[in-house]
Amino acid sequence: MYPKDSHSHPHPHRRTTRSATAALLAAAAALVAGCGSGGPSTGAAPPKAGCPNALASAAAAVARAENAENADTAWHGPTTGPAAVPGKSVVYVAQTMTNPGVAGVAKGVEEAAKAIGWQVRVIDGDGTPAGIQAALSQAITLRPSGIVIGGFDPQLTSQQMARAEAAHIPVIGWHAVGSPGPSERPKLFTNVTTKVEDVARISADWIIARSAGDAGVVLFTDDSIPFAKNKAELIRKELATCSGVRLLSYENIPIPDAASRTPQAVSSLLSRFQDDWTYSAAINDLYFADAAPALRAAGKPGSGPPFNIGAGDGDPSAFQRINSKQFQAATVPEPLNQQGWQIIDEFNRAFADRPASGYVAPVHIATADNSDGATSWDPSGYREEYRRIWAG
């Protein structure tokens, strides 16, 4: 499912759809010109949207985020750091490997560990508190050089985290806490993630811009994960900046239950809202994999409505749905493989008694128009740069 270190699409989003970007920018400019404090300019038709300023702002932000030439032409991450510390081992504790984002980062960790010459092991927490606690306990018992918290809240495992700290095992999170960078409580050398505020805002802005400020939205989330709950609340807050965008339903479905609960929820939502449901956002793309059968059974077109955007993580199946126009129109992808390499580089800094790099990947929107058929957002340059750093 996850392609190896492939160079068949070294710049998967380089060929931006200029017409789409230009259209969004033109719409933004027209709205700004026509809907400032003085209202519409002479001869200009007033916009239908009830939120001209929010719409103009959203359209401009979306145009920037969809512009791959800004996102993918160069490596903006670290270019200096310590040479590879030899002979290390890392255990990646996964919230659940059925979460494609968690699994995608695990693949990147494995690939980067091989490149730096370390051992790596993945332990699956199976998506339950007991399973995650057992997985982290097992990881500590193995006495690795470092442990990755892959997509779960460390507060679920406070006893195990205390054991890791007492054993002087550095811990790095991926989507473990709400913000990127180091954390004192819980004790993380660093947390690797895009900025949740940026991801949430641009997901909502895409709905505002694409709908021209007129949408009925369903929001799918997992409130059992603080990171996800925070993301959903931020999406809701940004949607509320446009009076013409109505939140029809807030669907709290735990990720481990998504496959069993989402189809029934979607059928119920279609029955309740019918054609008023025009857009969806989800804190993870996988909800749309599970929604697709119910939407298809109801006779909904794969190309929408509802038009669906995933606010993470941009896994290969999400790109496949987007590129084939099957019940998902966009995603705000994490560069999952690159983040796996970043995690290994951050461990190398920890082992060399250096501070964390501070790098945070930029926000990006992937659509069928700008993905160039790729199945991931894989920015160029990071493999070469990290190898060069580690070579010393």
Side-chain angles (χ1 to χ4, degrees):
M1 183 176 180
Y2 296 99
K4 295 190 183 295
D5 186 43
S6 169
H7 298 281
S8 59
H9 295 287
H11 305 289
H13 302 284
R14 176 79 46 95
R15 291 200 286 270
T16 309
T17 305
R18 296 180 187 276
S19 58
T21 300
L24 281 166
L25 287 171
L31 283 162
V32 170
C35 305
S37 57
S41 57
T42 304
K48 294 180 181 179
C51 59
N53 293 331
L55 178 54
S57 175
V62 168
R64 288 191 300 270
E66 287 186 347
N67 185 344
E69 291 180 1
N70 290 341
D72 196 48
T73 52
W75 170 239
H76 300 292
T79 56
T80 61
V85 178
K88 298 297 182 179
S89 62
V90 170
V91 175
Y92 183 97
V93 180
Q95 178 239 357
T96 170
M97 290 293 280
T98 64
N99 180 328
V102 172
V105 175
K107 172 197 166 286
V109 167
E110 290 174 325
E111 183 182 283
K114 184 177 180 181
I116 203 171
W118 296 350
Q119 298 297 312
V120 65
R121 177 169 174 175
V122 176
I123 303 177
D124 194 341
D126 295 323
T128 67
I132 291 166
Q133 288 165 6
L136 187 51
S137 292
Q138 183 183 352
I140 295 164
T141 301
L142 292 170
R143 303 287 297 186
S145 309
I147 293 173
V148 185
I149 299 296
F152 61 88
D153 178 9
Q155 290 182 337
L156 286 172
T157 57
S158 56
Q159 291 181 337
Q160 290 83 4
M161 289 292 291
R163 284 177 53 203
E165 187 173 354
H168 304 290
I169 301 172
V171 178
I172 289 177
W174 180 80
H175 283 205
V177 294
S179 301
S183 169
E184 278 302 315
R185 285 290 173 262
K187 184 70 172 179
L188 299 173
F189 177 75
T190 195
N191 182 55
V192 175
T193 179
T194 48
K195 289 183 179 176
V196 67
E197 297 86 356
D198 294 347
V199 173
R201 187 181 302 113
I202 203 65
S203 302
D205 283 349
W206 181 86
I207 291 174
I208 294 168
R210 197 185 188 287
S211 70
D214 181 14
V217 184
V218 172
L219 178 54
F220 295 91
T221 186
D222 180 353
D223 280 353
S224 72
I225 303 172
F227 183 92
K229 182 178 181 180
N230 182 40
K231 186 191 291 187
E233 290 296 335
L234 290 165
I235 292 171
R236 175 153 55 183
K237 181 178 179 182
E238 182 70 7
L239 290 172
T241 64
C242 182
S243 59
V245 174
R246 305 161 306 284
L247 183 63
L248 302 178
S249 185
Y250 182 100
E251 294 292 315
N252 175 26
I253 301 174
I255 285 174
D257 300 337
S260 60
R261 289 179 51 183
T262 304
Q264 183 178 351
V266 168
S267 295
S268 174
L269 290 161
L270 288 168
S271 177
R272 286 166 59 198
F273 300 114
Q274 300 183 36
D275 292 343
D276 289 339
W277 178 13
T278 55
Y279 284 81
S280 313
I283 56 92
N284 190 297
D285 295 300
L286 63 81
Y287 289 99
F288 300 128
D290 299 321
L295 291 167
R296 189 177 292 112
K300 292 292 182 179
S303 57
F307 303 100
N308 301 322
I309 183 167
D313 297 307
D315 66 274
S317 66
F319 274 84
Q320 288 158 9
R321 287 190 297 277
I322 291 164
N323 292 335
S324 61
K325 299 184 178 178
Q326 290 298 307
F327 306 103
Q328 186 166 350
T331 186
V332 183
E334 301 273 342
L336 299 171
N337 203 77
Q338 177 264 307
Q339 288 175 331
W341 280 67
Q342 182 182 347
I343 286 168
I344 292 298
D345 182 66
E346 302 289 7
F347 272 126
N348 196 54
R349 292 167 193 271
F351 301 150
D353 294 321
R354 302 280 188 89
S357 72
Y359 177 62
V360 180
V363 73
H364 178 58
I365 297 174
T367 66
D369 288 335
N370 72 2
S371 72
D372 197 26
T375 56
S376 65
W377 179 37
D378 200 23
S380 60
Y382 67 89
R383 292 180 179 90
E384 296 80 2
E385 200 60 54
Y386 280 131
R387 284 192 176 107
R388 190 188 61 76
I389 292 170
W390 299 339

XYZ file of all heavy atoms in Angstrom, residues 69-109:
281
model
N 3.871 24.890 -6.216
C 5.179 25.491 -6.458
C 5.701 26.180 -5.197
O 6.903 26.316 -5.014
C 5.100 26.467 -7.636
C 4.866 25.743 -8.954
C 4.792 26.677 -10.129
O 4.941 27.893 -9.930
O 4.588 26.193 -11.245
N 4.785 26.612 -4.338
C 5.217 27.148 -3.052
C 5.573 26.041 -2.076
O 6.404 26.212 -1.197
C 4.108 28.023 -2.435
C 3.925 29.320 -3.196
O 4.802 29.735 -3.930
N 2.772 29.940 -3.035
N 4.896 24.893 -2.218
C 5.000 23.846 -1.205
C 6.103 22.845 -1.470
O 6.572 22.187 -0.553
C 3.659 23.108 -1.101
N 6.515 22.717 -2.746
C 7.279 21.511 -3.051
C 8.536 21.729 -3.882
O 9.147 20.780 -4.342
C 6.354 20.522 -3.789
C 6.923 19.112 -3.810
O 7.341 18.645 -2.741
O 6.948 18.518 -4.893
N 8.946 22.960 -4.114
C 10.098 23.163 -4.980
C 11.413 23.039 -4.247
O 12.451 22.872 -4.874
C 10.024 24.542 -5.661
O 9.819 25.535 -4.643
C 8.901 24.601 -6.657
N 11.424 23.148 -2.935
C 12.696 23.104 -2.215
C 12.466 22.547 -0.826
O 11.358 22.603 -0.290
C 13.299 24.507 -2.127
N 13.531 22.018 -0.249
C 13.486 21.529 1.121
C 13.706 22.693 2.061
O 14.719 23.385 1.990
C 14.553 20.460 1.314
C 14.790 20.032 2.735
C 15.959 20.105 3.426
C 13.836 19.434 3.621
N 15.797 19.595 4.691
C 14.499 19.174 4.843
C 12.480 19.104 3.517
C 13.862 18.604 5.940
C 11.848 18.526 4.596
C 12.541 18.279 5.790
N 12.743 22.921 2.948
C 12.826 24.033 3.891
C 13.167 23.552 5.297
O 13.108 24.338 6.243
C 11.508 24.815 3.906
C 11.153 25.404 2.572
N 11.872 26.421 1.992
C 10.172 25.100 1.687
C 11.340 26.725 0.817
N 10.310 25.940 0.607
N 13.489 22.270 5.429
C 13.823 21.718 6.733
C 15.280 21.916 7.094
O 15.999 22.694 6.448
N 15.738 21.205 8.124
C 17.106 21.406 8.604
C 18.158 21.020 7.567
O 17.970 20.070 6.795
C 17.181 20.499 9.838
C 16.080 19.513 9.684
C 14.997 20.217 8.942
N 19.228 21.767 7.537
C 20.350 21.476 6.638
C 21.643 21.229 7.416
O 22.669 20.904 6.828
C 20.571 22.635 5.647
O 20.773 23.845 6.392
C 19.368 22.800 4.742
N 21.588 21.405 8.727
C 22.751 21.125 9.568
C 22.312 20.284 10.757
O 21.140 20.302 11.142
C 23.400 22.417 10.096
O 22.447 23.127 10.893
C 23.882 23.289 8.950
N 23.254 19.552 11.327
C 22.947 18.720 12.481
C 24.082 17.754 12.731
O 25.070 17.714 11.977
N 23.954 16.938 13.782
C 25.042 16.010 14.119
C 25.132 14.847 13.141
O 24.129 14.432 12.559
C 24.650 15.521 15.518
C 23.168 15.674 15.577
C 22.848 16.890 14.766
N 26.353 14.354 12.987
C 26.555 13.128 12.201
C 25.874 11.966 12.912
O 25.570 12.020 14.115
C 28.043 12.850 12.041
N 25.614 10.911 12.153
C 24.901 9.754 12.686
C 25.602 9.178 13.911
O 26.800 8.903 13.880
C 24.773 8.690 11.611
N 24.837 9.014 14.990
C 25.323 8.309 16.177
C 25.093 6.825 15.922
O 23.963 6.410 15.685
C 24.576 8.773 17.436
C 25.065 8.005 18.656
C 24.741 10.276 17.633
N 26.139 6.000 15.938
C 25.972 4.606 15.496
C 25.330 3.709 16.552
O 25.313 4.028 17.747
C 27.411 4.163 15.223
C 28.240 5.004 16.151
C 27.540 6.320 16.236
N 24.779 2.577 16.059
C 24.383 1.485 16.934
C 23.144 1.712 17.764
O 22.999 1.119 18.843
N 22.218 2.525 17.300
C 21.022 2.831 18.084
C 19.829 1.972 17.646
O 19.809 1.401 16.551
C 20.670 4.312 17.972
C 21.747 5.240 18.521
C 21.967 5.021 20.016
C 23.004 5.964 20.586
N 23.198 5.766 22.052
N 18.827 1.917 18.521
C 17.599 1.173 18.232
C 16.401 2.006 18.649
O 16.452 2.739 19.633
C 17.583 -0.163 18.987
O 17.612 0.065 20.389
N 15.324 1.888 17.877
C 14.118 2.668 18.113
C 12.914 1.734 18.067
O 12.841 0.847 17.207
C 13.966 3.787 17.057
C 12.594 4.451 17.140
C 15.066 4.832 17.223
N 11.972 1.931 18.997
C 10.693 1.218 18.958
C 9.596 2.230 18.665
O 9.488 3.260 19.335
C 10.400 0.478 20.275
C 8.996 -0.135 20.230
C 11.433 -0.606 20.525
N 8.795 1.942 17.653
C 7.663 2.780 17.266
C 6.406 2.135 17.828
O 6.020 1.038 17.419
C 7.587 2.872 15.735
C 6.495 3.767 15.190
C 6.764 5.082 14.823
C 5.200 3.286 14.996
C 5.771 5.893 14.296
C 4.199 4.089 14.468
C 4.496 5.396 14.128
O 3.510 6.201 13.598
N 5.769 2.814 18.790
C 4.529 2.307 19.386
C 3.366 2.984 18.666
O 3.173 4.205 18.775
C 4.472 2.568 20.896
C 3.173 2.023 21.484
C 5.674 1.937 21.597
N 2.590 2.204 17.927
C 1.504 2.733 17.109
C 0.183 2.717 17.863
O -0.150 1.724 18.517
C 1.361 1.894 15.835
N -0.554 3.805 17.763
C -1.913 3.822 18.313
C -2.710 2.656 17.727
O -3.285 1.849 18.441
C -2.595 5.154 17.984
C -4.032 5.265 18.480
C -5.029 5.523 17.371
O -4.675 5.678 16.212
N -6.294 5.542 17.725
N -2.748 2.585 16.423
C -3.256 1.426 15.696
C -2.720 1.505 14.281
O -2.750 2.568 13.659
C -4.793 1.348 15.673
O -5.192 0.315 14.749
C -5.437 2.660 15.239
N -2.250 0.388 13.773
C -1.734 0.382 12.406
C -2.854 0.377 11.375
O -2.595 0.432 10.177
C -0.794 -0.808 12.205
C 0.532 -0.666 12.958
S 1.595 0.668 12.343
C 2.323 -0.156 10.910
N -4.117 0.339 11.825
C -5.220 0.537 10.891
C -5.433 2.011 10.591
O -6.192 2.346 9.682
C -6.534 -0.061 11.432
O -6.909 0.637 12.629
C -6.391 -1.542 11.731
N -4.804 2.907 11.363
C -4.820 4.337 11.072
C -3.754 4.588 10.011
O -2.559 4.430 10.275
C -4.525 5.132 12.341
C -4.530 6.641 12.113
O -4.178 7.128 11.045
N -4.916 7.379 13.131
N -4.145 4.951 8.778
C -3.154 5.055 7.704
C -2.064 6.083 7.970
O -0.933 5.918 7.512
C -3.992 5.425 6.482
C -5.371 4.976 6.815
C -5.507 5.184 8.291
N -2.387 7.154 8.701
C -1.363 8.139 9.026
C -0.299 7.556 9.927
O 0.904 7.715 9.693
N -0.737 6.862 10.975
C 0.192 6.195 11.898
C 1.066 5.202 11.147
O 2.283 5.128 11.342
C -0.599 5.499 13.031
C 0.310 4.634 13.886
C -1.306 6.536 13.901
N 0.444 4.425 10.257
C 1.187 3.420 9.496
C 2.149 4.065 8.503
O 3.262 3.569 8.282
C 0.213 2.494 8.764
N 1.740 5.191 7.911
C 2.610 5.879 6.957
C 3.860 6.433 7.607
O 4.956 6.374 7.038
N 3.715 6.971 8.812
C 4.891 7.473 9.537
C 5.787 6.312 9.964
O 7.018 6.412 9.904
C 4.452 8.312 10.757
C 5.661 8.733 11.584
C 3.692 9.543 10.295
N 5.182 5.194 10.365
C 5.973 4.004 10.723
C 6.851 3.572 9.553
O 8.029 3.226 9.742
C 5.057 2.869 11.155
N 6.292 3.618 8.356
C 7.069 3.260 7.164
C 8.251 4.205 6.976
O 9.373 3.791 6.684
C 6.180 3.299 5.924
C 6.945 3.139 4.616
C 6.085 3.597 3.452
C 6.912 3.766 2.188
N 7.763 4.962 2.209
N 8.002 5.507 7.188
C 9.088 6.478 7.062
C 10.164 6.277 8.109
O 11.366 6.410 7.817
N 9.765 5.940 9.342
C 10.728 5.655 10.405
C 11.594 4.461 10.021
O 12.825 4.485 10.180
C 10.003 5.407 11.747
C 10.945 4.804 12.782
C 9.413 6.713 12.273
